[in-house]
Amino acid sequence: QEQLVESGGGSVQAGGSLRLSCSTKDYFGSRLCMGWFRQAPGKDREGLAAVRYDSTVDYADSVKGRFTVSQDNAKKTLYLEMNGLKPEDTAMYYCAAGHRTLSMCTSESTTYLDHEGQGTSVTVSS
């Protein structure tokens, strides 16, 4: 059974950094699409970044230049490095995975991929 497990959330001050991790060890197959989305209280899901099976990445404009997604295939782990955090980045952050064509694997698509983790909380104070 595919399982995604996030870790690394916490509380930081504005301008700080966090690195989120997602164990993807149970996830495999062709046309993998993996990424991150977040959901703040009372708001819709917001796709942040997606990694396509050809290793290209798509970022949402809201995080481009501040967040970096990467993966360690040997450790079967997906990361989200977040720098220059702002109070508006406060949310639950989720790892997601599915099988998509290259064109269908976008930051927005992470909000409705086949599987997602339980989430990890990020709080940014001003």
Side-chain angles (χ1 to χ4, degrees):
Q1 182 178 354
E2 296 98 346
Q3 225 178 357
L4 304 171
V5 182
E6 303 96 337
S7 61
S11 298
V12 296
Q13 290 191 326
S17 299
L18 281 174
R19 188 176 79 158
L20 307 182
S21 300
C22 174
S23 171
T24 63
K25 61 179 182 178
D26 295 321
Y27 218 89
F28 55 90
S30 62
R31 299 189 299 176
L32 285 177
C33 175
M34 297 188 177
W36 297 88
F37 69 92
R38 67 187 178 189
Q39 188 167 25
K43 294 191 176 181
D44 292 336
R45 293 182 169 192
E46 179 188 9
L48 302 175
V51 182
R52 303 181 181 102
Y53 63 85
D54 67 350
S55 299
T56 58
V57 181
D58 180 61
Y59 290 102
D61 288 342
S62 61
V63 301
K64 200 172 292 184
R66 297 191 300 128
F67 291 9
T68 303
V69 64
S70 62
Q71 55 185 357
D72 185 327
N73 291 326
K75 294 182 179 179
K76 298 188 183 298
T77 302
L78 188 70
Y79 300 101
L80 184 67
E81 185 79 34
M82 305 185 295
N83 299 310
L85 285 163
K86 307 173 183 180
E88 51 264 43
D89 293 317
T90 295
M92 283 293 289
Y93 284 70
Y94 298 86
C95 172
H99 304 277
R100 296 288 188 277
T101 62
L102 294 175
S103 62
M104 295 300 290
C105 181
T106 65
S107 58
E108 183 180 356
S109 74
T110 59
T111 63
Y112 51 86
L113 285 174
D114 307 321
H115 296 90
E116 60 194 52
Q118 294 299 307
T120 185
S121 178
V122 172
T123 302
V124 185
S125 57
S126 57

